[in-house]
Amino acid sequence: TTEGPTKGSEETVTLHTAEVAPGLFMLAWVEKSGMTVTHLMNLDALTVHAFWTYETGDGRIAELHTGTLEPA
């Protein structure tokens, strides 16, 4: 983690991956906290959609975020 209250923490997760179409990759994992994370990365268009869920005191929350990738 690079920001926020868990900055500097790390864990090992089981990563599930699939190429769902040419240049389109899905990655998913479950964190120790129960948070689920899924990334859909389009390496041709250099875009990423990130979906995650996590538990709060008021129930489970789901968020969808979009962004762009930059070549190394």
Side-chain angles (χ1 to χ4, degrees), residues 1-69:
T1 304
T2 59
E3 296 180 16
T6 59
K7 182 177 180 175
S9 67
E10 61 182 63
E11 66 181 274
T12 300
V13 298
T14 301
L15 184 64
H16 305 277
T17 63
E19 184 172 13
V20 296
L24 189 62
F25 294 86
M26 183 176 285
L27 299 92
W29 64 92
V30 178
E31 298 184 354
K32 206 177 342 180
S33 66
M35 183 174 195
T36 63
V37 182
T38 303
H39 288 183
L40 185 61
M41 298 187 307
N42 185 325
L43 299 183
D44 294 329
L46 297 178
T47 58
V48 61
H49 297 272
F51 177 78
W52 56 75
T53 67
Y54 56 94
E55 217 37 73
T56 70
D58 295 324
R60 197 146 188 90
I61 300 292
E63 297 181 10
L64 178 63
H65 301 269
T66 60
T68 56
L69 301 169

